[in-house]
């Protein structure tokens, strides 16, 4: 597993940036970039044996980039799944007219075949722990209770707990066995069950599962899923429970249809004693998740609306649900926050006429879920709703500042060090390659510079790339003003080499992959500082690593007066 993680951290080649072309470049643009770099790096263009050897390495890399991007099939694979897709065996049997989505599915299939042996030795344990807390005495105690001298903690009791655990045991890429069990207690009454489920993948379009369990009585369940024509999916479940003196059976069928690329429709039917039918519309976009459901049943009927707004820049989701039916009205709202790479924390407030007010706190950690439903009152009281909303928010702000932020910062530093270590050898190779490219560019740059000077065009006077250390308050502090040499590199020659007709255009991508560049500070934010002359006037600009560049611009002019 560690090897796989290190492999994930290794930075891949960006062929588009190496050729300095956009990702939607035409074949003509690819050909032009290839021929330009070929003239620069062709071994026959250099007499010196050292330069000839360095040119051969860069020329081979140029040919590799051209070979991939000029082949529509290989380019589609590279665009979709990157270098790993090109290194995966089996693509030679894949049809060459696949769409990006189909290519992605093919890659998953081929990767699954390659990992089949690993699957046989791995398990996927999941754990869920729920602790039900009753805190109603804090807000709606009886009058006689006020005479007691009980403190706040004595007003809170644990009314129930449940623990579930499941373990997957993949036998082959088509067969998987799952063992799962549950233990729970509620108001002093306990129960438990244990189940074994065996799933068989019949084809890419369907599977069947047999589930055998024991608890208050033996249970037998049969589940299945089948992909049908016209973008339909059918799934069904049949369960038989053997109770003392009775046999109970339930049957559920669900039909799902893909209405468009972002919308699903579901129709579910449950025949029997408490028969019910429900229909659901689900719409999932980049920013939002919306679902609307109508349930009609003998025991209860209701209408529900669920909405999730994703704030990706803050790694947070805002949640809202309203449900109305024969049981009354229930409103639920809250938020879910990404705490770390593998951890999420959510807090929601549920208020209903018959259910009262409940604060639900959940922590998701990898394959583990910890839930703490705190029942605050049996009625919807304004004070209860206020405290259930404000107290978790203030607690989160304090905990985040004091506990979470320092931990996340240390974790980011560790990840950065691991990324640097994983790319250490590669960065040394990239540094040597960049230095070789810069030496090979000198003759070409001299010609470009002379041409630009003759027509008062674009001349790069100084260019630095990397992480800059800016002074804080004391502008005369030499230590603060100093730019660490191991964090920036001089890229004046590589940038001048990219000037064409008094223009420099860099596309939206990390500039560390440009010829003559390398990453001097892996994992850190980088910038590109450019000083240049245009029409004998001084210009200056500084741009972020992934931002596009197009110079000269009038806004870059420096007021020399």
């Amino acid at each position: 597993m560690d090897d796989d993680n290190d492999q994930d951290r290794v930075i891949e080649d960006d062929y588009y940036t190496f050729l300095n072309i956009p990702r939607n470049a035409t074949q003509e643009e690819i050909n032009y970039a290839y021929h330009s770099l070929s003239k620069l790096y062709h071994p026959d263009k250099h007499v010196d044996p050292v330069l000839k050897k360095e040119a051969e390495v860069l020329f081979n890399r140029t040919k590799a980039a051209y070979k991939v991007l000029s082949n529509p099939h290989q380019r589609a694979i590279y665009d979709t799944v990157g270098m790993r897709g090109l290194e995966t065996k089996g693509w030679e049997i894949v049809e060459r007219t696949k769409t990006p989505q189909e290519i992605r599915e093919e890659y998953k299939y081929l990767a699954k075949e390659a990992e089949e042996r690993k699957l046989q030795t791995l398990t996927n344990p999941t754990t869920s722990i729920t602790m039900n807390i009753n805190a109603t005495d804090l807000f709606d105690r009886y009058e006689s209770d006020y005479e007691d001298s009980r403190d706040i903690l004595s007003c809170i009791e644990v009314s129930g707990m449940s623990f579930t655990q499941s373990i997957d045991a993949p036998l082959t890429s088509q067969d998987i066995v799952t063992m799962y069990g549950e233990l729970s207690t509620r108001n002093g009454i306990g129960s438990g069950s244990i189940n074994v489920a065996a799933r068989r993948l019949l084809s890419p379009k369907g599977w069947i599962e047999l589930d055998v369990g024991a608890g208050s009585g033996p249970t037998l369940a049969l589940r299945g899923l089948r992909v049908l024509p016209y973008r339909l999916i059918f799934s069904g479940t049949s369960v038989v429970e053997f109770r003392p003196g009775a046999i109970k059976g339930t049957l559920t069928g669900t039909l799902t249809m893909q209405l468009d690329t972002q919308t699903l429709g579901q129709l579910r039917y449950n025949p029997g004693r408490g028969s019910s039918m429900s229909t659901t519309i689900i719409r999932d976009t980049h920013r939002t998740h919306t679902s609307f459901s109508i349930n009609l049943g003998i025991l209860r009927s209701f209408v529900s609306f669920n909405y999730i707004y994703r704030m990706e820049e803050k790694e947070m989701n805002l949640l809202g649900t309203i449900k109305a039916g024969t049981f009354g009205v229930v409103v639920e709202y809250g938020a879910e926050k990404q705490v770390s790479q593998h951890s999420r924390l959510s807090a929601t407030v549920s208020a209903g006429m018959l259910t009262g007010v409940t604060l639900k706190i959940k922590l998701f950690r990898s394959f583990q879920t910890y839930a703490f439903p705190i029942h605050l009152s049996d009625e919807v009281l304004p004070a209860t709703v206020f405290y259930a909303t404000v107290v978790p928010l203030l607690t989160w702000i304090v905990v985040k500042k004091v506990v979470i932020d320092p931990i996340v910062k240390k974790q980011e530093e560790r990840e950065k060090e691991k990324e640097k270590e994983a790319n250490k050898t590669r960065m040394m190779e990239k540094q040597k390659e960049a230095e070789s490219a810069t030496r090979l560019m000198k003759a070409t740059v001299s010609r470009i510079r002379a041409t630009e000077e003759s027509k008062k065009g674009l001349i790069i006077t100084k260019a630095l790339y990397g992480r800059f250390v800016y002074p804080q308050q004391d502008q005369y502090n030499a230590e603060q003003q100093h730019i660490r040499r191991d964090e920036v590199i001089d890229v004046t020659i590589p940038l001048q080499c990219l000037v064409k007709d008094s223009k420099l255009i860099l596309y939206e991508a990390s500039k560390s992959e440009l010829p003559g560049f390398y990453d001097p500070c892996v994992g850190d934010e980088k910038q590109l500082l450019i000083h240049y002359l245009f029409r004998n006037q001084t210009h200056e600009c500084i741009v972020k690593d992934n931002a596009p560049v197009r110079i000269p611009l009038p806004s870059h002019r420096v007021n020399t007066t």
Side-chain angles (χ1 to χ4, degrees):
M1 293 297 291
D2 291 338
D3 293 339
D4 292 340
N5 291 336
D6 290 342
Q7 198 172 12
D8 290 337
R9 295 189 184 97
V10 174
I11 300 172
E12 293 187 343
D13 289 332
D14 187 340
Y15 288 153
Y16 290 99
T17 306
F18 181 73
L19 297 178
N20 194 29
I21 56 177
R23 300 195 74 84
N24 60 349
T26 62
Q27 187 61 47
E28 290 74 15
E29 290 175 315
I30 295 172
N31 291 340
Y32 180 80
Y34 169 68
H35 290 304
S36 297
L37 286 183
S38 295
K39 292 177 183 178
L40 184 65
Y41 297 138
H42 200 289
D44 294 343
K45 297 286 183 179
H46 304 276
V47 180
D48 185 282
V50 177
L51 291 180
K52 185 182 285 288
K53 188 174 182 180
E54 292 175 345
E56 186 176 351
V57 175
L58 289 163
F59 182 65
N60 289 336
R61 188 181 175 195
T62 304
K63 287 196 298 184
Y66 177 75
K67 180 181 177 182
V68 171
L69 298 186
S70 61
N71 184 313
H73 178 60
Q74 291 190 12
R75 183 179 179 181
I77 296 170
Y78 176 74
D79 289 347
T80 308
V81 290
M83 292 295 295
R84 285 193 180 186
L86 296 172
E87 295 167 0
T88 302
K89 295 181 180 179
W91 287 110
E92 60 274 4
I93 63 173
V94 177
E95 185 182 354
R96 295 178 181 269
T97 57
K98 296 286 186 180
T99 64
Q101 180 61 32
E102 290 172 327
I103 289 172
R104 204 173 278 112
E105 295 300 324
E106 293 286 357
Y107 171 72
K108 289 180 181 178
Y109 172 75
L110 293 171
K112 186 183 292 185
E113 276 193 340
E115 294 294 322
E116 183 176 356
R117 207 173 277 179
K118 291 183 179 180
L119 282 174
Q120 296 178 7
T121 60
L122 295 178
T123 60
N124 184 23
T126 59
T127 304
S128 177
I129 299 174
T130 302
M131 180 183 293
N132 300 91
I133 299 173
N134 188 343
T136 55
D137 283 351
L138 289 175
F139 296 96
D140 53 0
R141 287 182 291 177
Y142 291 105
E143 292 293 333
S144 58
D145 291 339
Y146 284 99
E147 299 175 0
D148 299 338
S149 59
R150 295 188 302 168
D151 56 14
I152 294 178
L153 293 178
S154 62
C155 297
I156 302 174
E157 65 174 3
V158 178
S159 58
M161 287 188 67
S162 66
F163 174 84
T164 61
Q165 175 83 46
S166 70
I167 298 176
D168 294 340
L171 304 179
T172 67
S173 59
Q174 287 82 31
D175 300 286
I176 182 170
V177 174
T178 303
M179 296 182 62
Y180 62 97
E182 178 185 8
L183 291 174
S184 63
T185 177
R186 184 78 177 181
N187 296 324
I189 301 175
S191 63
S193 65
I194 185 169
N195 293 67
V196 178
R199 177 176 294 188
R200 172 74 176 179
L201 183 65
L202 301 176
S203 71
K205 294 185 176 182
W207 53 262
I208 190 170
E209 180 180 275
L210 179 64
D211 190 323
V212 179
S216 56
T219 61
L220 183 65
L222 184 66
R223 302 182 181 91
L225 180 141
R226 178 68 181 177
V227 179
L228 304 175
Y230 307 106
R231 296 180 295 181
L232 290 172
I233 300 175
F234 175 77
S235 61
T237 302
S238 176
V239 181
V240 179
E241 300 178 65
F242 299 89
R243 300 288 178 88
I247 298 177
K248 181 182 177 182
T250 58
L251 181 66
T252 303
T254 303
L255 189 64
T256 304
M257 183 176 185
Q258 186 86 34
L259 301 178
D260 58 40
T261 56
Q262 298 176 328
T263 309
L264 288 175
Q266 285 186 344
L267 182 64
R268 179 173 297 160
Y269 179 58
N270 181 14
R273 256 170 144 187
S275 65
S276 65
M277 177 177 285
S278 66
T279 180
T280 305
I281 300 294
I282 303 170
R283 183 167 179 79
D284 202 351
T285 66
H286 177 69
R287 280 286 186 181
T288 63
H289 174 90
T290 309
S291 65
F292 177 75
S293 179
I294 300 176
N295 186 89
L296 300 175
I298 295 176
L299 299 179
R300 67 173 188 169
S301 300
F302 63 86
V303 177
S304 68
F305 177 78
N306 177 263
Y307 182 79
I308 299 175
Y309 181 73
R310 302 184 180 98
M311 305 171 65
E312 293 188 353
E313 62 280 358
K314 296 184 178 180
E315 297 184 323
M316 184 169 66
N317 297 332
L318 300 181
L319 320 172
T321 302
I322 182 169
K323 186 183 291 186
T326 54
F327 50 81
V329 178
V330 177
V331 177
E332 190 169 306
Y333 60 90
E336 182 181 272
K337 173 69 176 175
Q338 189 81 26
V339 180
S340 64
Q341 183 179 359
H342 302 291
S343 300
R344 292 178 290 120
L345 181 66
S346 74
T348 57
V349 178
S350 176
M353 292 185 295
L354 299 180
T355 58
V357 179
T358 302
L359 173 63
K360 302 176 183 178
I361 299 175
K362 286 186 178 181
L363 174 63
F364 304 91
R365 173 66 180 171
S366 295
F367 299 107
Q368 299 174 338
T369 302
Y370 303 92
F372 303 92
I374 306 173
H375 190 48
L376 299 176
S377 65
D378 295 322
E379 300 177 0
V380 180
L381 304 174
T384 309
V385 176
F386 175 78
Y387 283 110
T389 305
V390 175
V391 172
L393 183 61
L394 295 177
T395 303
W396 163 253
I397 293 174
V398 174
V399 172
K400 182 177 183 299
K401 191 72 175 176
V402 177
V403 180
I404 296 177
D405 284 350
I407 294 176
V408 171
K409 187 176 180 180
K410 289 182 180 179
Q411 186 177 7
E412 289 176 350
E413 291 175 354
R414 286 197 299 268
E415 289 296 322
K416 193 183 296 182
E417 289 301 320
K418 289 180 181 178
E419 186 178 358
K420 288 181 179 179
E421 188 63 30
N423 289 279
K424 186 176 180 180
T425 303
R426 176 173 171 76
M427 286 303 103
M428 291 177 63
E429 294 174 354
K430 296 284 287 183
Q431 181 177 353
K432 291 181 180 178
E433 183 182 289
E435 292 170 352
S436 299
T438 302
R439 284 193 290 269
L440 295 169
M441 292 175 183
K442 286 183 178 180
T444 302
V445 166
S446 297
R447 291 194 297 269
I448 294 174
R449 191 181 181 93
T451 303
E452 293 296 326
E453 286 177 346
S454 65
K455 59 182 180 180
K456 298 182 180 179
L458 179 59
I459 302 169
I460 308 297
T461 56
K462 190 69 173 178
L464 298 175
Y465 173 69
R467 177 178 179 268
F468 296 92
V469 180
Y470 298 102
Q472 301 296 324
Q473 297 294 332
D474 185 4
Q475 297 183 356
Y476 299 98
N477 190 327
E479 293 182 0
Q480 289 182 327
Q481 288 185 341
H482 178 63
I483 297 176
R484 302 178 199 170
R485 295 184 180 278
D486 60 337
E487 292 186 343
V488 295
I489 56 174
D490 191 316
V491 291
T492 307
I493 292 176
L495 279 190
Q496 185 70 65
C497 191
L498 294 173
V499 172
K500 292 181 178 64
D501 299 325
S502 299
K503 293 180 182 179
L504 173 64
I505 300 175
L506 305 178
Y507 298 95
E508 189 175 356
S510 175
K511 295 164 185 61
S512 59
E513 290 293 314
L514 286 167
F517 284 64
Y518 68 92
D519 194 339
C521 46
V522 176
D524 290 323
E525 291 186 3
K526 291 168 281 291
Q527 294 174 309
L528 176 63
L529 172 66
I530 308 174
H531 293 273
Y532 63 94
L533 292 175
F534 182 68
R535 293 177 181 172
N536 289 338
Q537 291 184 326
T538 304
H539 294 67
E540 177 184 318
C541 69
I542 186 166
V543 294
K544 292 184 178 179
D545 186 25
N546 290 288
V549 175
R550 185 178 291 269
I551 60 174
L553 285 177
S555 59
H556 296 164
R557 190 180 298 122
V558 176
N559 187 358
T560 56
T561 58

